[in-house]
Amino acid sequence: MTSPSLEVRATDYHTAGEPFRIVTAGAPDLPGTSVADRRVGAIASEQAQRIRQLLCHEPRGHADMYGCFVAPPDDAGADLGVLFWHKDGFSTACGHGTIALATWAAETGLVATDPDGVTDLRIDVPSGRVTAMVRRAAGDVVDVTFRNVPSFVLHRGAAVETSRGTVRVDVSFGGAIYASLPAAAVGLTVRAENVGELTAIGREIKWAVQNAGLAEHPTDPRLSGCYGTMLFDDDGDTPEAADGAAGRSAGGSAGGSAGGGAGGAADTRAAGPFQRSITVFADGEVDRSPCGSGTSARMALLHADGRLGPGRVFTHDSIIGTRFTAVVSGEVTAGDRPAIITDVTGCAFRTGEHHFVLDPRDAVGTGFVLR
């Protein structure tokens, strides 16, 4: 029997329905002094791209697959680093992936966590260092709250031309850059039966924003580029927001002490905005979750509008009805811009263990994408 040319092992999770494939053996060499540098290197690496394609493309993946390579952290101040990938390349941030990765790290014992409390895990991602606050009860992971890098507004009401006419979009950063607009602005609602039309117009808007130069990061060009479009329905403020946050963890202090549960803090939170959204990212991929970094980007806009002050809960549902809840945990500046720190909470669950093989006789090779 001919020996396989490539073998990769992975553990799969989903966060609010969105897949996340964690490579546990067979990852490529990722040289560099930081996670951000390793991402640049991975983009240029034939080996890294080959493995990414193998795991994302059919027949081993699908057009909306997501996953990561675990990497060393930038320094001893973090527990681990991560490079996120999808069918079209390597992203700068991934909230649902951070939640899944932290759950995996806790469940496998890679990082020691309190079996009946909250433990802070510090994770270096290409956009910076985030904190994942893992809440466990009787040894089970209940949920994870990730404290993101600063989120801020880039543009308001920018006009872009589409096949549905001129639309105005808001552009904001939440670890990656997103364009936002109400689904009603293009004559749609965020419902599963509209996913084809939502995907098409979301993809169109993403590239229009990108090509118009509206997605330039103000301080780090490695973070530039419109990652996706978020089309949303807004149901105003609802008591569901407060209910959905009940028992959620605010985690440790911003300085990072482990522990610090929700306790009475969650009970005093007020209802805030409730929205349903679809995130169309990369080149026409659809996020099944509410999108973690996109949630932060939406929060920057809601905060700027005066709708999401401290203590108010943002309830964010996906197109399939899964949910993240989130709060503003701090107000900061990013360069010369006002920015916020966001805490986004969700749950991840293990779905499988995989041993992938590429037979050198296989003419399909690393696979294909069929929409």
Side-chain angles (χ1 to χ4, degrees):
M1 180 176 177
T2 304
S3 298
S5 64
L6 183 62
E7 296 190 33
V8 179
R9 294 183 184 273
T11 299
D12 277 18
Y13 278 75
H14 84 85
T15 305
E18 177 71 359
F20 195 69
R21 179 163 287 168
I22 303 167
V23 175
T24 57
D29 182 37
L30 299 169
T33 58
S34 69
V35 169
D37 287 342
R38 290 187 181 95
R39 174 178 175 263
V40 174
I43 292 170
S45 166
E46 181 178 346
Q47 181 193 24
Q49 295 285 14
R50 186 172 183 233
I51 295 174
R52 177 189 63 77
Q53 291 170 359
L54 181 83
L55 300 179
C56 282
H57 292 181
E58 296 183 55
R60 300 167 189 85
H62 54 80
D64 297 284
M65 195 64 206
Y66 218 112
C68 79
F69 301 134
V70 181
D74 292 357
D75 56 50
D79 297 289
L80 67 161
V82 59
L83 291 184
F84 302 115
W85 41 254
H86 47 74
K87 79 167 175 63
D88 295 309
F90 292 84
S91 54
T92 60
C94 179
H96 92 273
T98 299
I99 291 170
L101 185 68
T103 303
W104 168 78
E107 290 182 339
T108 60
L110 179 68
V111 179
T113 55
D114 187 339
D116 280 293
V118 178
T119 305
D120 289 1
L121 275 62
R122 290 169 184 78
I123 303 173
D124 286 330
V125 307
S127 59
R129 180 164 294 173
V130 302
T131 300
M133 296 164 271
V134 180
R135 184 163 69 101
R136 303 183 75 175
D140 293 330
V141 176
V142 177
D143 55 33
V144 174
T145 299
F146 81 92
R147 180 163 291 162
N148 204 356
V149 299
S151 301
F152 50 85
V153 176
L154 285 169
H155 304 284
R156 300 304 297 260
V160 295
E161 299 300 324
T162 76
S163 59
R164 292 175 179 248
T166 302
V167 297
R168 293 194 174 274
V169 301
D170 296 325
V171 182
S172 55
F173 177 81
I177 296 174
Y178 294 88
S180 291
L181 73 162
V186 290
L188 296 169
T189 57
V190 181
R191 295 290 185 269
E193 58 267 27
N194 296 330
V195 68
E197 290 179 280
L198 289 163
T199 302
I201 191 64
R203 181 175 180 269
E204 190 177 336
I205 291 169
K206 173 249 174 77
W207 290 114
V209 169
Q210 173 100 347
N211 294 336
L214 296 171
E216 301 301 315
H217 191 276
T219 60
D220 188 345
R222 295 174 300 183
L223 304 179
S224 293
C226 186
Y227 183 54
T229 302
M230 303 186 74
L231 298 109
F232 63 89
D233 295 339
D234 193 319
D235 283 358
D237 293 353
T238 170
E240 283 189 76
D243 294 342
R248 298 300 192 194
S249 170
S253 67
S257 60
D267 298 334
T268 63
R269 293 176 180 179
F274 174 49
Q275 296 183 343
R276 288 180 304 278
S277 75
I278 180 173
T279 303
V280 182
F281 66 95
D283 192 20
E285 296 191 45
V286 174
D287 199 328
R288 275 70 174 157
S289 82
C291 185
S293 55
T295 295
S296 295
R298 290 288 314 131
M299 292 172 73
L301 295 163
L302 290 166
H303 181 267
D305 289 340
R307 294 186 59 195
L308 194 62
R312 304 195 75 203
V313 177
F314 176 38
T315 300
H316 197 195
D317 281 10
S318 73
I319 194 168
I320 65 168
T322 53
R323 175 170 295 180
F324 290 161
T325 56
V327 296
V328 175
S329 59
E331 298 178 351
V332 296
T333 56
D336 59 354
R337 296 171 183 268
I340 56 171
I341 301 298
T342 62
D343 289 359
V344 181
T345 301
C347 304
F349 299 92
R350 186 165 60 99
T351 60
E353 303 286 338
H354 303 283
H355 178 189
F356 295 103
V357 175
L358 175 60
D359 190 310
R361 301 168 299 171
D362 186 352
V364 171
T366 57
F368 56 91
V369 176
L370 182 66
R371 279 287 188 189

